[in-house]
Each structure stands twice: as C-alpha cells, then as structure tokens.
Amino acid sequence: MKIPLNEFEQLIDEKILKRGLSYFKSDAITDFLQISTGEYEAIVSGTEEYTVQLEIIKNTIVEHRCDCPFDMGPVCKHIVAVIFYLQKDTLELSQPNFTIPKKKKTTSIPQQIRELLKVISHKELVDFVQENSKKDKKFRNSFLASFGHLSQHQSKEFYQKQIHSILQTAAGRDGFIGWSDMKYVANTTEPFLENAEKYLANANFENVFFISIALLEEMTEALQYGDDSNGNLGYFIGSAMELLSKLTHEELPKDLKKNLFEYCISSFKKKLFKGWDWHLGMLRIASDLIEKESDIDIVLNCLASIKGEYEIEEAQFFTLKLLRKFRDEKEVEKYINKHISNTSIRKEEIEKAFAYNNFERVIHLSKDGIKFDQKDRPGLIKIWYNWLLKVAQAQKDSAKIIEYARFLFIHNFQPEQDYYQILKDIIEDKNWHPFLEEIIKEITSKRRWRSIELIREIYIKEQWWDRLFLRLKQNVSLNTIEQNEQYLTKDYSSELIELYSESITDYVDKFLGRKHYQTACRYLRRMKKLGGNKQVNELVALFREKYPKRKALMDELNRI
C-alpha cells in the first residue's frame, strides 16, 4: 500500500489512525533516524519496543515495515505514529513536555552502529571494506557510488562502469531488473546525483558533465531491460538533463563548453536517445551553448533531419525560436508562412495577433486552422473556434457569439469559458427555452456518452427536475443515482430509495469481496440519509439470510 504523505489521514482506517496519533502524542517514539535519502527507522514503544522502517519517494511512502505482530490490515498504529512524527510540522502537532515512564529499552541497530564506529580501528575498517568489496557486489557498488568522487581518475567511463555495474547487479542472471530490484538501483545510484550537485556548487563542472552523460546513457539503455513503473530510471534521466541544462548557465571553460556542445550534437546524430523526449532535448541544451554562426547551422540541420509527425511539429516550433533569436525578421516571417499548419506556430501567431487587436488576422488564421484540421485532427478545431469566439466577444458581434458559443457548448469537452452562460446572457428570455430545446434535439441525435451528460447539465442548470429524474431512470446505476441525488432529494426521495434498493441488491448479488461490500454499505448509509431506514433494515435482513457465509459482508453490515 503506497501512502502519499499529504493524504495519509484519508487512506488509513480511522481506528488505527486514532491509535497511532495517541502513540505519537504520548511520546512513544523513542528513537528516530534517517538511514539514507528517503529511508527512515524509528523505535516505537508499546507493550514492547517495535522497529518501524519507512521508504519515501517523491513525498509518498512506497514501503513500510513494522516488526509488531499486527496482521489485521496494511498499516499498524506504530507506523501511523511515525508518519505523524514525520508530519508534525506540516500538521502543526506538538508532543507533551513530559515523558511517560517506559520500560528500559534495548539499543537500536543505528545506535549500535554509531557506538561501534567509535571503537573500531582505521585498519579494521579498511580490511572490512576491502574484504566485503571482493565478495559482495552490492556492497562494492554502494561504496564506489558513495566515495568514487574522491578518485583522481574521473571520466565519463569511470562513472559509466560504476553505474553499469549497479544495473547489472540488479538485473541478475535473467538480465531483467524487476520492480523490487529498482529500490536497490535507486538507493545505490542516488549518491552520484548528490556528488554532482556538490561538484556544481564548487564549480567542478567537468565532473558534473561526466556524471550526467554517464547516467543518461546507462539509464536510457536500462529502460529496455528494467521495470520503471515507479519512475526511478526516468528520475535519474530527468535529473541528468537538468544538470546539463544548469551547466549551460555557468561560466564554463572554453574546452568543456565545446565538449558539451559536441556531445549533444553527437548523441543526437548517433540517435543514442531516439524515441525519447531527451533526444530533442539534447538539441535544446546545444542551442544554449551556441557561440558562432556555424553552431546555429549545425543545430538547425539536426532539427531539419527529424521525422515523424509529432516530432516534426515540435522541431519546427523549436526551429522558429532559434530563428527569432539568431536570424532577421524576414527569414522568420518566411518560415512562419511556410509552416503555419504547425499547431504550436499557428497558436503563437494567433495569440500575438489578438494581443495587438489584429482581429482580421486572428479570424483568418483560425478559419484556415478549422479548414486544415477538420478531416485529420478534428479535436484541434475547438481551439480555433475558441479564438473566433474571443474575437466576436471583443467586437460585441451577438450573432457570431451565439454561433461559436453554441458550437463549443455542444462539441467542446474541455471548455475554456462557460459557453452555456454566454448563450443565456445574450439570448432573449422569450427565445431561451426554444433555443435550448433545439440544442437538446441536436445533442440527442448524436447518441454519444458526452451527449447524455450535456443534456443532464442543461436539466440541472434549468432545474428541470422531472426531466432529470426521467433521464436517471433511463440510465440507472449506483453511481448515476448518487450523482443526481443532491438535485432530486427534495422531490423524489422515496423514488431514489427504491432505485438504490434495487441497485444495491443487484450489486451484492454480482460482486464478491470486502471492497465491494464496503461500497454496498456506503450506499445503504445514503439510503438512511434519505429517510429509508425501513428499507435499509429489510435489505440487511435479506443479505444476512441470503449470504450468511460471506463473513466480510456480515462484518460490514454490522458497521451500518
């Protein structure tokens, strides 16, 4: 069970949550230590002392362990107590100033290690590291990742060998890095990023370059033989790209700047990262390093070689940015006219024209966009209609406002404006309902899911509860009843209770498992709020009689 720290109170059982909070407030956490980045260990005193371990990635607890005997759910009160301890500042919690007497505690493992390190000799430590480095690959990889930066022989290859060794160790004999093995990869590789950030702060830019490109190449290749569902490989790739981007804003030595530019161009031409976003990203980094005319031509020639519809559009837009930065207005204008079918370029030109009140150009580009995208990319035409509407609004052209707002109300699933209200504000009251009826007629003929939802939206806005209830009866489910309940409770509470009763009965008949039983009982509680106590009691009695062997169902029914 993954637990986002900002949502843990909603995800954990209320009883366990209260017990965990009570433990936290009673100062039951007697030792707390951060083992490494994102890894924590704590001692929690209950009837005995228990060790809690947490692993946190991107503000989410991805693993949690406690050595207590609790097995009635995914999270025990000791884990919850530690979560509250972690979140005490965010939640503005405070612990009492007094300490509750406790039994004498045993020394935790982290404490034992700290004490031993004080008495072990330097030679003993050296012998231990050498011996374990020979026989334990994981230990060796972790040691090199943490302290390899102290070597005098750093290079791309130096770091690449270490990262490759980590990945191969995780892959094992079958050559594939599974989801569980990614934890080892993430923990062991993180020191490379930490060291790179230190190098950046200390202006040791060459080593930042070496670490970044080693990570890029190895982690990109690992995507072919690793389960990256947790995003660990992507995290290292993104971090490496960010480091390279940071380098472009530093005062780099001339040779390093040249090497970075040439690496970006070379990796692009060799297609090291083909198929990934950072393939084009290398050219973005190269463009920030341009110093002379020949550099511009190199980047532009690379961009012109890109194929594939999406990639071409992105490359064209990027090309336009470079032309604006380095070339004259005449060449820029020529490029725009040639590639105006590019969605991003068209959008930018429309936005610019609208900002300068050049409505004629906005209308021309928008209508041309509708014509161009109508057949192959119909989803885009809503963007161009939105601009036509904005122009009509700016010019206060009522007929055009109605035409465009009507189209967008019916066809745009992600509205930029409230088209319904725009229409209602501009159409005379005496014509409003006939106008709506025509829209409903047109929508109904389309027979799409969105059409049903749009008609429902009209009924709600106009408070046509009789028609809304009729629509509900034509499409009854537990979800649709709940969606419409708030609007129909006043006039149709008894009918809603009846619909709920029939749907819950069918639901319990079809689905097994505690989660489904919890869902059914949640709707039984909704029936109660509607005044259906009698019907709920009848259903509970029916389920007890019909499904006596469904222990989980009986448990959930007891909680109603």
Side-chain angles (χ1 to χ4, degrees):
M1 176 182 177
K2 294 182 182 179
I3 308 172
L5 286 174
N6 60 353
E7 298 178 11
F8 79 97
E9 291 174 287
Q10 288 77 46
L11 298 175
I12 296 172
D13 182 81
E14 187 176 353
K15 289 182 180 178
I16 300 297
L17 202 65
K18 287 180 178 178
R19 290 172 183 170
L21 180 60
S22 175
Y23 264 58
F24 164 76
K25 288 184 174 180
S26 65
D27 203 21
I29 299 171
T30 58
D31 192 30
F32 182 87
L33 183 69
Q34 183 171 355
I35 305 296
S36 63
T37 303
E39 287 197 16
Y40 301 89
E41 184 173 284
I43 303 298
V44 183
S45 294
T47 51
E48 297 181 22
E49 288 191 336
Y50 299 110
T51 301
V52 171
Q53 295 172 314
L54 302 179
E55 181 183 352
I56 300 174
I57 298 175
K58 296 180 180 179
N59 215 37
T60 297
I61 299 173
V62 295
E63 284 197 27
H64 45 78
R65 292 175 293 278
C66 180
D67 57 6
C68 75
F70 178 80
D71 61 358
M72 298 297 289
V75 179
C76 68
K77 59 191 175 186
H78 309 109
I79 290 173
V80 173
V82 177
I83 296 174
F84 274 115
Y85 183 89
L86 276 169
Q87 293 291 90
K88 61 183 177 182
D89 293 332
T90 303
L91 299 174
E92 298 182 351
L93 297 171
S94 60
Q95 293 168 286
N97 295 324
F98 63 88
T99 301
I100 296 175
K102 301 178 182 69
K103 292 181 288 184
K104 185 177 179 180
K105 61 180 180 180
T106 58
T107 306
S108 69
I109 291 175
Q111 287 176 317
Q112 292 177 40
I113 292 172
R114 288 197 296 270
E115 291 171 4
L116 286 171
L117 286 173
K118 292 177 183 177
V119 297
I120 297 173
S121 70
H122 174 74
K123 183 179 183 305
E124 287 174 310
L125 277 176
V126 169
D127 291 343
F128 175 82
V129 171
Q130 288 180 334
E131 182 62 29
N132 280 277
S133 293
K134 290 177 184 177
K135 64 185 181 182
D136 188 336
K137 282 185 179 180
K138 288 190 174 181
F139 179 85
R140 180 172 70 241
N141 289 337
S142 180
F143 179 79
L144 288 172
S146 300
F147 302 106
H149 63 284
L150 300 175
S151 170
Q152 300 299 311
H153 308 288
Q154 297 174 54
S155 65
K156 170 196 168 185
E157 291 72 25
F158 172 81
Y159 289 110
Q160 202 162 8
K161 281 184 180 179
Q162 294 177 39
I163 297 166
H164 188 74
S165 177
I166 291 169
L167 292 166
Q168 290 305 302
T169 300
R173 292 183 179 180
D174 62 358
F176 184 81
I177 305 174
W179 179 84
S180 59
D181 298 312
M182 278 297 175
K183 176 188 173 184
Y184 162 73
V185 172
N187 290 342
T188 314
T189 309
E190 184 66 31
F192 289 103
L193 286 181
E194 293 171 356
N195 290 330
E197 290 289 354
K198 291 176 185 175
Y199 284 137
L200 188 65
N202 295 323
N204 190 339
F205 302 131
E206 187 174 46
N207 282 340
V208 178
F209 174 56
F210 291 151
I211 291 173
S212 298
I213 60 178
L215 279 169
L216 265 181
E217 292 186 20
E218 288 300 322
M219 294 300 173
T220 299
E221 185 180 347
L223 288 169
Q224 308 302 321
Y225 61 88
D227 178 354
D228 196 38
S229 53
N230 266 352
N232 290 317
L233 300 179
Y235 161 72
F236 288 113
I237 291 167
S239 298
M241 288 296 289
E242 187 178 347
L243 284 167
L244 291 178
S245 182
K246 286 179 179 178
L247 284 180
T248 66
H249 297 97
E250 300 287 349
E251 289 293 330
L252 301 179
K254 188 174 180 179
D255 287 347
L256 178 57
K257 193 170 186 179
K258 180 184 176 185
N259 289 341
L260 177 52
F261 180 83
E262 289 179 348
Y263 176 82
C264 291
I265 299 301
S266 172
S267 66
F268 179 85
K269 288 183 176 179
K270 290 178 181 177
K271 301 180 180 179
L272 291 184
F273 312 122
K274 182 101 168 73
W276 303 103
D277 290 344
W278 48 103
H279 176 58
L280 183 58
M282 300 311 292
L283 295 184
R284 297 188 190 281
I285 292 171
S287 70
D288 289 333
L289 298 164
I290 288 174
E291 289 190 320
K292 52 187 183 293
E293 188 71 24
S294 60
D295 292 342
I296 303 170
D297 292 333
I298 290 171
V299 176
L300 290 174
N301 287 335
C302 287
L303 286 167
S305 71
I306 290 177
K307 303 187 184 308
E309 184 179 352
Y310 170 76
E311 291 82 0
I312 286 176
E313 286 221 341
E314 193 176 358
Q316 287 173 349
F317 190 59
F318 182 26
T319 298
L320 178 58
K321 286 189 172 182
L322 287 179
L323 292 177
R324 282 201 170 112
K325 187 175 181 181
F326 296 107
R327 297 291 166 81
D328 59 40
E329 289 185 16
K330 187 175 180 181
E331 187 172 349
V332 170
E333 194 65 31
K334 182 180 177 182
Y335 191 84
I336 289 171
N337 291 334
K338 183 178 179 181
H339 299 285
I340 195 63
S341 60
N342 181 301
T343 303
S344 297
I345 293 176
R346 189 187 296 277
K347 276 184 188 176
E348 190 175 70
E349 286 301 298
I350 289 175
E351 288 169 2
K352 188 168 61 174
F354 189 83
Y356 286 98
N357 294 327
N358 188 350
F359 297 142
E360 186 178 344
R361 179 163 172 76
V362 175
I363 293 169
H364 168 73
L365 290 175
S366 298
K367 287 187 174 180
D368 183 61
I370 292 169
K371 183 179 178 182
F372 184 83
D373 294 318
Q374 184 80 51
K375 182 179 178 182
D376 297 325
R377 299 187 291 183
L380 291 176
I381 67 173
K382 288 123 186 180
I383 296 172
W384 316 134
Y385 268 106
N386 262 311
W387 281 108
L388 290 175
L389 175 59
K390 288 177 184 178
V391 171
Q393 288 171 312
Q395 296 178 331
K396 298 182 179 179
D397 186 335
S398 298
K400 291 295 183 184
I401 291 173
I402 293 172
E403 177 187 350
Y404 300 139
R406 185 183 192 279
F407 174 86
L408 289 166
F409 177 68
I410 294 173
H411 298 285
N412 196 347
F413 304 158
Q414 297 176 317
E416 279 190 23
Q417 302 183 62
D418 187 344
Y419 306 121
Y420 180 91
Q421 195 59 48
I422 290 170
L423 290 167
K424 188 164 188 175
D425 289 342
I426 206 166
I427 293 172
E428 293 183 12
D429 290 345
K430 64 179 181 179
N431 297 326
W432 177 237
H433 284 169
F435 178 82
L436 278 183
E437 295 297 349
E438 284 298 317
I439 286 182
I440 292 171
K441 185 177 179 181
E442 182 179 340
I443 293 172
T444 303
S445 67
K446 297 184 182 300
R447 298 182 179 277
R448 296 180 303 193
W449 173 85
R450 170 60 183 164
S451 302
I452 295 172
E453 187 58 27
L454 204 55
I455 292 172
R456 174 177 173 268
E457 183 181 331
I458 292 172
Y459 291 164
I460 291 170
K461 287 182 180 292
E462 294 300 317
Q463 298 185 14
W464 290 343
W465 307 135
D466 54 340
R467 296 174 76 171
L468 181 63
F469 181 69
L470 183 61
R471 173 69 59 174
L472 170 61
K473 288 183 68 177
Q474 294 169 349
N475 184 32
V476 177
S477 70
L478 288 172
N479 186 48
T480 56
I481 301 170
E482 183 178 5
Q483 281 180 343
N484 293 286
E485 181 186 314
Q486 60 178 309
Y487 309 110
L488 299 173
T489 298
K490 183 178 178 182
D491 300 318
Y492 292 95
S493 59
S494 60
E495 288 86 349
L496 290 173
I497 291 168
E498 185 179 344
L499 290 177
Y500 266 135
S501 180
E502 293 172 0
S503 298
I504 293 170
T505 303
D506 290 341
Y507 186 86
V508 173
D509 187 50
K510 290 178 181 177
F511 299 105
L512 296 171
R514 186 176 293 274
K515 284 188 177 181
H516 291 300
Y517 302 149
Q518 289 172 342
T519 298
C521 289
R522 181 169 70 83
Y523 285 114
L524 285 171
R525 294 185 189 98
R526 297 196 76 87
M527 283 179 65
K528 270 192 170 186
K529 288 183 179 180
L530 289 168
N533 284 336
K534 177 184 176 184
Q535 291 87 340
V536 169
N537 291 335
E538 289 173 354
L539 283 177
V540 170
L542 172 66
F543 295 151
R544 290 190 185 284
E545 181 182 352
K546 195 172 181 180
Y547 311 110
K549 294 184 179 180
R550 296 188 187 180
K551 185 177 181 299
L553 175 59
M554 299 301 110
D555 290 343
E556 296 302 325
L557 291 174
N558 289 335
R559 298 178 184 180
I560 295 176

